[in-house]
Amino acid sequence: IPTREKEPLKSRINEINIDISYKDGIQQLILNGENVTEELNSEEVGREASRVSQFAFVRLKLVKLQQEIAKKQPVMDGRDIGTKVLPGAFFKIFMTASSSVRAKRRYDELIARGVECDYNTILSDIEHRDYEDENRELAPLKQASDAIVIDTSDMTIEEASDKITELFINKKEEYERNHKG
């Protein structure tokens, strides 16, 4: 990213405040007091997030914000939560799915919301973002060594949720057995 694009962001990074709330059981992201949940689901934001996340000052600010949120909200998802944001977390899942499955899910989600879109464009964007995130120098996307991998390519949301719940219960029971007294 050219320096001329980087400088305005750098000069305003400390003005950013992020919080999470819930409405009807659905997580909402609040940016400087404004609910921006809907905007975050756009393809453009996904592309830009990958672009600006290569800057150290952006990564540092986001890690700090996410760690503050984690004090109030103990469940988080993200591409570097288990390796950079909360490396000492008790329970980590590295959830994955094939790029074609993720593109189909995203396509279906956008169509259901009435957004005109193209599957092949979405697929290309996902593959490009994955490549960029996996190969960036700062905090690359990778599985934490102590994370449990779940490939959701052939799972429904309910099946993935049930699997995570089962794994968490097992982990908690194991911990309690090992730390009695």
Side-chain angles (χ1 to χ4, degrees):
I1 298 177
T3 301
R4 64 180 158 68
E5 291 181 39
K6 183 173 153 180
E7 290 309 315
L9 178 60
K10 192 172 189 176
S11 68
R12 299 189 64 202
I13 194 83
N14 290 323
E15 297 171 21
I16 296 172
N17 185 37
I18 297 174
D19 204 0
I20 292 176
S21 67
Y22 287 85
K23 181 178 178 183
D24 300 324
I26 298 172
Q27 184 176 313
Q28 307 292 306
L29 187 92
I30 311 302
L31 173 64
N32 294 340
E34 182 182 344
N35 188 330
V36 295
T37 304
E38 197 64 33
E39 290 87 345
L40 285 178
N41 290 321
S42 73
E43 292 302 301
E44 180 182 2
V45 169
R47 282 190 297 274
E48 290 302 310
S50 188
R51 239 170 51 99
V52 299
S53 67
Q54 65 184 293
F55 299 136
F57 68 92
V58 171
R59 305 288 317 157
L60 291 172
K61 176 69 175 183
L62 285 175
V63 166
K64 181 180 173 191
L65 288 168
Q66 290 169 312
Q67 288 171 335
E68 287 301 312
I69 290 169
K71 292 175 184 174
K72 300 180 282 184
Q73 173 59 41
V75 177
M76 300 189 91
D77 71 290
R79 290 189 158 213
D80 66 350
I81 299 298
T83 54
K84 297 295 177 193
V85 179
L86 300 171
F90 169 74
F91 184 68
K92 299 177 195 174
I93 296 291
F94 188 82
M95 196 173 325
T96 187
S98 70
S99 54
S100 59
V101 167
R102 292 181 334 196
K104 176 73 166 94
R105 290 173 179 166
R106 182 72 173 148
Y107 175 83
D108 290 346
E109 174 190 345
L110 292 171
I111 292 297
R113 290 183 12 220
V115 176
E116 192 173 313
C117 58
D118 175 69
Y119 168 83
N120 290 322
T121 300
I122 293 169
L123 177 61
S124 176
D125 286 349
I126 285 172
E127 290 172 341
H128 178 74
R129 182 176 178 202
D130 286 351
Y131 178 82
E132 292 292 319
D133 288 353
E134 290 167 0
N135 292 287
R136 68 179 171 231
E137 190 171 320
L138 182 64
L141 167 62
K142 65 180 182 179
Q143 174 190 335
S145 61
D146 57 344
I148 300 166
V149 178
I150 299 176
D151 186 337
T152 66
S153 297
D154 297 319
M155 292 182 180
T156 64
I157 291 173
E158 293 78 16
E159 290 169 334
S161 178
D162 289 348
K163 182 67 174 172
I164 292 168
T165 301
E166 173 192 339
L167 290 167
F168 178 77
I169 290 169
N170 291 341
K171 172 89 173 184
K172 184 176 180 257
E173 288 172 351
E174 177 186 334
Y175 177 85
E176 290 170 349
R177 276 192 310 274
N178 293 332
H179 292 86
K180 282 187 178 181

